[in-house]
mmCIF file of all heavy atoms in Angstrom:
data_model
loop_
_atom_site.group_PDB
_atom_site.id
_atom_site.type_symbol
_atom_site.label_atom_id
_atom_site.label_comp_id
_atom_site.label_asym_id
_atom_site.label_seq_id
_atom_site.Cartn_x
_atom_site.Cartn_y
_atom_site.Cartn_z
ATOM 1 N N LEU A 12 15.499 18.960 -5.369
ATOM 2 C CA LEU A 12 14.115 18.819 -4.931
ATOM 3 C C LEU A 12 13.168 18.637 -6.105
ATOM 4 O O LEU A 12 12.209 17.861 -6.018
ATOM 5 C CB LEU A 12 13.701 20.036 -4.099
ATOM 6 C CG LEU A 12 14.313 20.127 -2.715
ATOM 7 C CD1 LEU A 12 13.949 21.445 -2.056
ATOM 8 C CD2 LEU A 12 13.874 18.965 -1.858
ATOM 9 N N VAL A 13 13.434 19.317 -7.205
ATOM 10 C CA VAL A 13 12.581 19.170 -8.388
ATOM 11 C C VAL A 13 12.703 17.755 -8.944
ATOM 12 O O VAL A 13 11.690 17.132 -9.301
ATOM 13 C CB VAL A 13 12.955 20.219 -9.459
ATOM 14 C CG1 VAL A 13 12.218 19.972 -10.748
ATOM 15 C CG2 VAL A 13 12.683 21.618 -8.945
ATOM 16 N N SER A 15 13.465 15.024 -7.285
ATOM 17 C CA SER A 15 12.788 14.094 -6.383
ATOM 18 C C SER A 15 11.271 14.217 -6.494
ATOM 19 O O SER A 15 10.555 13.211 -6.435
ATOM 20 C CB SER A 15 13.257 14.293 -4.948
ATOM 21 O OG SER A 15 12.959 15.603 -4.511
ATOM 22 N N GLY A 53 6.248 12.313 -0.745
ATOM 23 C CA GLY A 53 5.821 13.627 -1.228
ATOM 24 C C GLY A 53 5.797 14.662 -0.123
ATOM 25 O O GLY A 53 6.214 15.814 -0.325
ATOM 26 N N ILE A 54 5.336 14.276 1.047
ATOM 27 C CA ILE A 54 5.340 15.197 2.185
ATOM 28 C C ILE A 54 6.774 15.529 2.601
ATOM 29 O O ILE A 54 7.070 16.667 2.980
ATOM 30 C CB ILE A 54 4.527 14.609 3.361
ATOM 31 C CG1 ILE A 54 3.046 14.545 2.983
ATOM 32 C CG2 ILE A 54 4.706 15.440 4.623
ATOM 33 C CD1 ILE A 54 2.193 13.812 3.997
ATOM 34 N N CYS A 55 7.653 14.542 2.485
ATOM 35 C CA CYS A 55 9.060 14.775 2.818
ATOM 36 C C CYS A 55 9.690 15.786 1.858
ATOM 37 O O CYS A 55 10.451 16.663 2.283
ATOM 38 C CB CYS A 55 9.811 13.453 2.776
ATOM 39 S SG CYS A 55 11.509 13.562 3.312
ATOM 40 N N VAL A 56 9.363 15.679 0.586
ATOM 41 C CA VAL A 56 9.863 16.653 -0.391
ATOM 42 C C VAL A 56 9.339 18.045 -0.052
ATOM 43 O O VAL A 56 10.070 19.032 -0.103
ATOM 44 C CB VAL A 56 9.477 16.237 -1.824
ATOM 45 C CG1 VAL A 56 9.757 17.348 -2.817
ATOM 46 C CG2 VAL A 56 10.202 14.970 -2.221
ATOM 47 N N LYS A 57 8.061 18.130 0.314
ATOM 48 C CA LYS A 57 7.473 19.427 0.682
ATOM 49 C C LYS A 57 8.163 19.992 1.922
ATOM 50 O O LYS A 57 8.454 21.183 1.990
ATOM 51 C CB LYS A 57 5.981 19.274 0.935
ATOM 52 C CG LYS A 57 5.322 20.482 1.555
ATOM 53 C CD LYS A 57 4.335 21.093 0.624
ATOM 54 C CE LYS A 57 3.545 22.177 1.316
ATOM 55 N NZ LYS A 57 4.158 23.474 1.210
ATOM 56 N N ALA A 58 8.416 19.123 2.919
ATOM 57 C CA ALA A 58 9.085 19.583 4.138
ATOM 58 C C ALA A 58 10.503 20.064 3.840
ATOM 59 O O ALA A 58 10.949 21.068 4.399
ATOM 60 C CB ALA A 58 9.116 18.459 5.175
ATOM 61 N N ALA A 59 11.202 19.374 2.940
ATOM 62 C CA ALA A 59 12.551 19.804 2.585
ATOM 63 C C ALA A 59 12.520 21.120 1.811
ATOM 64 O O ALA A 59 13.386 21.980 2.009
ATOM 65 C CB ALA A 59 13.233 18.719 1.758
ATOM 66 N N HIS A 60 11.531 21.274 0.964
ATOM 67 C CA HIS A 60 11.406 22.521 0.188
ATOM 68 C C HIS A 60 11.114 23.711 1.097
ATOM 69 O O HIS A 60 11.692 24.778 0.940
ATOM 70 C CB HIS A 60 10.309 22.374 -0.860
ATOM 71 C CG HIS A 60 10.083 23.609 -1.663
ATOM 72 N ND1 HIS A 60 9.134 24.545 -1.315
ATOM 73 C CD2 HIS A 60 10.709 24.073 -2.776
ATOM 74 C CE1 HIS A 60 9.175 25.541 -2.192
ATOM 75 N NE2 HIS A 60 10.119 25.268 -3.093
ATOM 76 N N ASP A 61 10.201 23.509 2.057
ATOM 77 C CA ASP A 61 9.820 24.596 2.959
ATOM 78 C C ASP A 61 10.806 24.802 4.096
ATOM 79 O O ASP A 61 10.801 25.852 4.736
ATOM 80 C CB ASP A 61 8.435 24.334 3.553
ATOM 81 C CG ASP A 61 7.339 24.378 2.514
ATOM 82 O OD1 ASP A 61 7.588 24.855 1.383
ATOM 83 O OD2 ASP A 61 6.215 23.918 2.824
ATOM 84 N N GLY A 62 11.628 23.789 4.379
ATOM 85 C CA GLY A 62 12.541 23.876 5.516
ATOM 86 C C GLY A 62 11.797 23.844 6.840
ATOM 87 O O GLY A 62 12.254 24.418 7.828
ATOM 88 N N ASP A 63 10.670 23.148 6.861
ATOM 89 C CA ASP A 63 9.794 23.126 8.033
ATOM 90 C C ASP A 63 9.761 21.716 8.606
ATOM 91 O O ASP A 63 9.577 20.736 7.880
ATOM 92 C CB ASP A 63 8.384 23.553 7.623
ATOM 93 C CG ASP A 63 7.470 23.813 8.796
ATOM 94 O OD1 ASP A 63 7.959 23.783 9.934
ATOM 95 O OD2 ASP A 63 6.278 24.045 8.558
ATOM 96 N N TYR A 66 6.079 18.707 9.432
ATOM 97 C CA TYR A 66 5.530 17.552 8.738
ATOM 98 C C TYR A 66 6.066 16.218 9.246
ATOM 99 O O TYR A 66 5.527 15.169 8.885
ATOM 100 C CB TYR A 66 5.815 17.668 7.233
ATOM 101 C CG TYR A 66 5.161 18.867 6.607
ATOM 102 C CD1 TYR A 66 5.906 19.986 6.255
ATOM 103 C CD2 TYR A 66 3.794 18.893 6.377
ATOM 104 C CE1 TYR A 66 5.311 21.087 5.682
ATOM 105 C CE2 TYR A 66 3.184 19.990 5.802
ATOM 106 C CZ TYR A 66 3.946 21.080 5.457
ATOM 107 O OH TYR A 66 3.346 22.168 4.895
#
Side-chain angles (χ1 to χ4, degrees):
L12 288 174
V13 173
S15 61
I54 293 172
C55 185
V56 170
K57 170 115 172 90
H60 178 267
D61 294 347
D63 191 7
Y66 298 105

